Amino acid sequence: MPYVNIKITREGATAEQKARLIKGVTSLLSDILGKNPQTTVVVIEEVDTDNWGIGGETVTVRRRTGR
Amino acid sequence: MPYVNIKITREGATAEQKARLIKGVTSLLSDILGKNPQTTVVVIEEVDTDNWGIGGETVTVRRRTGR
Amino acid sequence: MPYVNIKITREGATAEQKARLIKGVTSLLSDILGKNPQTTVVVIEEVDTDNWGIGGETVTVRRRTGR
Amino acid sequence: MPYVNIKITREGATAEQKARLIKGVTSLLSDILGKNPQTTVVVIEEVDTDNWGIGGETVTVRRRTGR
Amino acid sequence: MPYVNIKITREGATAEQKARLIKGVTSLLSDILGKNPQTTVVVIEEVDTDNWGIGGETVTVRRRTGR
Amino acid sequence: MPYVNIKITREGATAEQKARLIKGVTSLLSDILGKNPQTTVVVIEEVDTDNWGIGGETVTVRRRTGR
């Protein structure tokens, strides 16, 4: 029954990678906490780099300067 | 003053359906908890089926197999 | 499969009221969008009035002044 | 280490405005709570006006009637 | 830089289990998507069973009837 | 009409500090994006250090080792 929300920057994650992430997180919740995988929900949200800030600046700016 | 966030898979909900959902949830919060409808906020987020997992697999895969 | 998150101020909602809210929102999603009630998740979060702001001030202050 | 999520309607916020918002919120958390700006994350989400409700109706409808 | 929010019912997860979950999710994001573990944030929220609904009823009620 | 959610570790933020944060964020949204302060909602959530992870470990562990 857990609900997991994963936010990442939109920088080309593939459908296959997202499927592996969903499978992996669901397994972790089952293995560590005994949660039922059938009702575990995982939602991935991809956010434009203009809309993600860390250290007071956008990821767009950080990428431009090689970070 | 309540804030409601509804996440659904992006599978063709119409503007009219979303408007009905917003109206219905706002009424429920007023009827059951006496919350002021004027300051009740409802945000609907539609998520690609590649990004939504349940039972350890994506909704894309589930739809493909008729579930 | 929808996921609904409802945030309200912690001001005495009863277990019975919260149960009605969960039932009502789940029905709305089924009636309007045809979503399966069995996998609809509703999570209610109650937030202290010191931690909720509207109009630039906390609900604690608003309640004190009769709003 | 704080995490801030800002949801606004998608109505033309520019990259420059979003960058200023990220910078401003990060500074506030540092100035008021002494939080380390280097690990402060700010995520802005822009939501279609059809998907944002207040007062029981969508922002699309409100804009149409001059509100 | 990813942000992960995990919501579970408050039913006795230990600090050790939560630490393992944080470590596991952070590793998954590094292994699958190449995300930097140093800036990956994981927040676990535990929700009272009265406040968590699935299938239109609260987890409190479901537990009472052995589900 | 913006909605802002701020998550911080529960480490003693005072009501006065939280009120200043709410006021500051509301002003930023008004100054930068022209958002109406009267309908801007800010919700602060304080999370136990056992439940907050960064760099793959909990804040509880990091604080114990002077970080």
Side-chain angles (χ1 to χ4, degrees):
Chain A
M1 217 158 26
Y3 169 78
V4 181
N5 182 243
I6 300 173
K7 286 188 207 287
I8 54 175
T9 45
R10 194 189 311 277
E11 298 180 277
T14 66
E16 189 272 339
Q17 287 173 317
K18 291 185 279 192
R20 283 172 60 202
L21 194 55
I22 285 166
K23 191 176 180 180
V25 170
T26 304
S27 294
L28 274 178
L29 282 156
S30 173
D31 294 348
I32 296 172
L33 291 174
K35 297 295 183 184
N36 180 1
Q38 288 317 308
T39 52
T40 295
V41 174
V42 182
V43 172
I44 300 170
E45 290 177 290
E46 295 170 271
V47 176
D48 288 345
T49 56
D50 276 355
N51 289 21
W52 193 296
I54 184 164
E57 58 190 358
T58 66
V59 174
T60 303
V61 167
R62 292 170 79 91
R63 293 293 183 250
R64 206 179 289 152
T65 56
R67 285 171 293 168
Chain B
M1 219 158 26
Y3 169 79
V4 181
N5 183 243
I6 300 173
K7 287 188 208 284
I8 53 174
T9 44
R10 193 190 311 278
E11 299 180 275
T14 65
E16 189 270 339
Q17 287 174 316
K18 292 185 280 191
R20 283 173 59 202
L21 194 54
I22 286 165
K23 191 175 179 181
V25 170
T26 304
S27 294
L28 276 178
L29 282 156
S30 172
D31 293 349
I32 297 172
L33 292 174
K35 297 295 183 184
N36 180 2
Q38 289 315 308
T39 53
T40 295
V41 174
V42 182
V43 172
I44 300 171
E45 291 176 292
E46 295 170 270
V47 175
D48 288 344
T49 56
D50 276 355
N51 289 20
W52 192 296
I54 184 164
E57 57 189 0
T58 65
V59 174
T60 303
V61 167
R62 293 170 79 92
R63 293 294 184 247
R64 206 178 290 152
T65 57
R67 284 172 293 168
Chain C
M1 215 157 26
Y3 169 78
V4 181
N5 183 242
I6 300 172
K7 288 189 206 285
I8 53 174
T9 44
R10 195 189 310 280
E11 299 181 276
T14 66
E16 190 271 340
Q17 287 173 317
K18 291 185 281 192
R20 282 173 60 203
L21 194 55
I22 286 166
K23 191 176 180 179
V25 170
T26 304
S27 295
L28 275 178
L29 282 156
S30 172
D31 294 349
I32 297 172
L33 292 174
K35 297 295 182 183
N36 180 1
Q38 289 316 308
T39 52
T40 294
V41 174
V42 182
V43 171
I44 300 170
E45 291 178 290
E46 296 170 271
V47 175
D48 289 344
T49 56
D50 276 355
N51 290 20
W52 193 296
I54 185 165
E57 58 189 0
T58 67
V59 174
T60 303
V61 166
R62 292 170 79 92
R63 293 293 183 249
R64 205 178 289 151
T65 56
R67 285 171 295 169
Chain D
M1 217 159 25
Y3 169 78
V4 181
N5 183 243
I6 300 173
K7 288 189 207 285
I8 53 174
T9 44
R10 194 191 310 279
E11 298 180 276
T14 65
E16 188 271 339
Q17 286 173 317
K18 292 185 280 192
R20 283 173 60 201
L21 194 55
I22 286 167
K23 190 176 181 180
V25 170
T26 304
S27 295
L28 273 178
L29 282 157
S30 172
D31 293 349
I32 296 173
L33 291 174
K35 298 295 183 184
N36 180 1
Q38 289 315 309
T39 53
T40 295
V41 174
V42 182
V43 172
I44 300 170
E45 290 177 291
E46 295 170 271
V47 175
D48 289 345
T49 56
D50 276 354
N51 289 21
W52 192 296
I54 185 164
E57 57 189 359
T58 66
V59 175
T60 303
V61 167
R62 293 170 79 91
R63 294 293 184 249
R64 207 178 289 152
T65 56
R67 283 171 295 169
Chain E
M1 219 158 25
Y3 169 78
V4 181
N5 183 241
I6 300 172
K7 288 190 206 286
I8 54 174
T9 45
R10 195 190 310 280
E11 298 181 275
T14 66
E16 189 271 339
Q17 287 173 318
K18 292 185 281 192
R20 282 173 59 203
L21 194 55
I22 285 165
K23 190 175 180 182
V25 170
T26 304
S27 294
L28 275 178
L29 282 156
S30 172
D31 294 349
I32 297 171
L33 291 175
K35 297 294 183 184
N36 179 2
Q38 289 315 308
T39 53
T40 294
V41 173
V42 182
V43 171
I44 300 169
E45 290 177 291
E46 296 171 89
V47 175
D48 289 345
T49 56
D50 275 355
N51 289 21
W52 193 296
I54 184 164
E57 58 189 359
T58 66
V59 175
T60 303
V61 167
R62 292 170 80 91
R63 294 292 185 249
R64 206 179 288 151
T65 56
R67 282 171 295 168
Chain F
M1 216 158 27
Y3 169 77
V4 181
N5 182 242
I6 300 173
K7 288 189 206 287
I8 53 174
T9 44
R10 194 189 309 280
E11 299 180 274
T14 66
E16 189 270 341
Q17 287 173 318
K18 292 185 281 192
R20 282 173 59 202
L21 194 55
I22 286 165
K23 191 175 179 180
V25 170
T26 304
S27 294
L28 275 178
L29 282 156
S30 172
D31 294 348
I32 297 173
L33 291 174
K35 297 294 183 185
N36 180 1
Q38 288 315 309
T39 53
T40 295
V41 174
V42 182
V43 171
I44 300 170
E45 291 177 290
E46 296 171 272
V47 175
D48 289 344
T49 56
D50 276 354
N51 290 21
W52 193 295
I54 185 166
E57 59 190 358
T58 66
V59 174
T60 303
V61 166
R62 292 170 79 92
R63 293 292 184 250
R64 207 179 288 151
T65 55
R67 283 172 296 169

